[in-house]
Amino acid sequence: MATAWNTWLRVHTPRPRARIRLVCFPHAGGAASAFRDWGALLPAAIEVAVVQYPGRQDRFGDPLPQSVAELAERTAAAVGERLDRPTAFFGHSMGATVAFEAARLLQPRFPTPLVRLFASARKAPADCRPNGLRLDDDEVKELVRRLGGEGAALLENEELSRLVLPVLRHDLRMVESYRHVPGAPLTCPITVIVGKDDSSVTRADAERWSACTMAACRVRELDGGHFYFEKSPRDVMGLLVEGLLSAEAAHA
């Protein structure tokens, strides 16, 4: 039977007996495949589920959401179908904003199932401002090259570029139009992760996430740029395990 969970989430390494679930939210233009290996790299106590946004890979024909708020609302509804164990969110870049907004929607549940938010390579929601981008092909390609990552190579292939650019441009437009609406802070702790060489998010930017939660907010810097986790995935896994297991213990 088709469910919102089956439509929106991909579990590449199923672990039905895992004690905690990590839900990953990809970056603009990204897909669930960006986190395909994470489940196998993490211990058996953790199951990884990755959000598959509409308009890419096996959801290529699905209609695109028109705003970050809509994307967060539909994702929260899907995740809400399986809040059967302590759950944490990891969002990278645009995904950090989506994860935060989805967490706000799920927070009123009692007791809250959300034990931690990992916000990666993204400014705090209240600091997100439009950059005045035109988002023509050349500007989008230059932006992607500047941020780096494996996805940049896709835009160098003309055929792949024709498939990727429309979705990437759409996501970037959603990011440009996002406006934070003040509200109650989260009650779960936040871990903010930034690459030491990422010029788009500084440590000072990362520390401003502390206003988004009533709990602790910790900033961690890792070697690399905007896509730091592609080069040193095991460093990221160690940080995630530390944050997840400590959050699970506190939740219990």
Side-chain angles (χ1 to χ4, degrees):
M1 181 178 68
T3 65
W5 172 275
N6 292 333
T7 299
W8 284 81
L9 280 300
R10 302 290 175 268
V11 180
H12 297 118
T13 305
R15 287 177 173 156
R17 297 184 180 180
R19 301 195 310 268
I20 190 167
R21 179 176 288 126
L22 177 66
V23 178
C24 296
F25 294 71
H27 52 282
S33 58
F35 302 98
R36 173 177 292 278
D37 298 330
W38 281 31
L41 292 172
L42 289 167
I46 302 166
E47 181 181 73
V48 176
V50 189
V51 180
Q52 183 73 297
Y53 302 143
R56 57 215 80 194
Q57 295 181 340
D58 58 335
R59 300 195 66 191
F60 183 78
D62 291 357
L64 298 172
Q66 296 306 302
S67 66
V68 168
E70 180 189 343
L71 182 54
E73 181 178 1
R74 298 184 67 187
T75 304
V79 172
E81 291 186 353
R82 292 200 188 175
L83 290 175
D84 54 352
R85 67 198 74 182
T87 299
F89 286 173
F90 176 97
H92 182 69
S93 199
M94 178 190 81
T97 306
V98 180
F100 168 75
E101 293 294 348
R104 290 213 290 181
L105 293 171
L106 292 173
Q107 180 167 276
R109 292 174 179 252
F110 183 83
T112 176
L114 298 178
V115 297
R116 188 175 294 273
L117 168 65
F118 295 93
S120 169
R122 181 72 169 150
K123 292 182 179 180
D127 294 336
C128 292
R129 299 284 188 275
N131 295 311
L133 301 176
R134 301 184 309 276
L135 297 177
D136 56 46
D137 287 0
D138 290 341
E139 188 175 55
V140 171
K141 288 180 179 179
E142 177 55 32
L143 174 62
V144 172
R145 290 190 192 102
R146 189 164 67 247
L147 294 177
E150 296 173 356
L154 297 178
L155 297 183
E156 303 304 322
N157 181 297
E158 185 174 345
E159 185 174 348
L160 290 175
S161 179
R162 285 198 297 269
L163 294 174
V164 172
L165 272 175
V167 173
L168 178 55
R169 184 182 297 108
H170 178 87
D171 287 355
L172 291 173
R173 285 198 179 112
M174 288 199 303
V175 171
E176 281 282 288
S177 63
Y178 171 75
R179 301 293 183 276
H180 172 63
V181 178
L186 298 180
T187 56
C188 67
I190 297 176
T191 298
V192 189
I193 311 172
V194 294
K196 293 178 181 177
D197 300 323
D198 185 0
S199 60
S200 68
V201 186
T202 66
R203 184 181 182 91
D205 292 328
E207 288 172 347
R208 288 178 58 81
W209 275 93
S210 61
C212 297
T213 181
M214 296 172 60
C217 180
R218 185 180 185 186
V219 176
R220 296 294 299 271
E221 293 180 288
L222 296 179
D223 291 336
H226 194 68
F227 289 94
Y228 60 87
F229 58 82
E230 292 182 351
K231 292 187 176 180
S232 302
R234 294 196 180 277
D235 291 343
V236 185
M237 297 305 109
L239 190 156
L240 293 176
V241 170
E242 176 190 352
L244 290 170
L245 297 185
S246 64
E248 180 200 23
H251 184 75

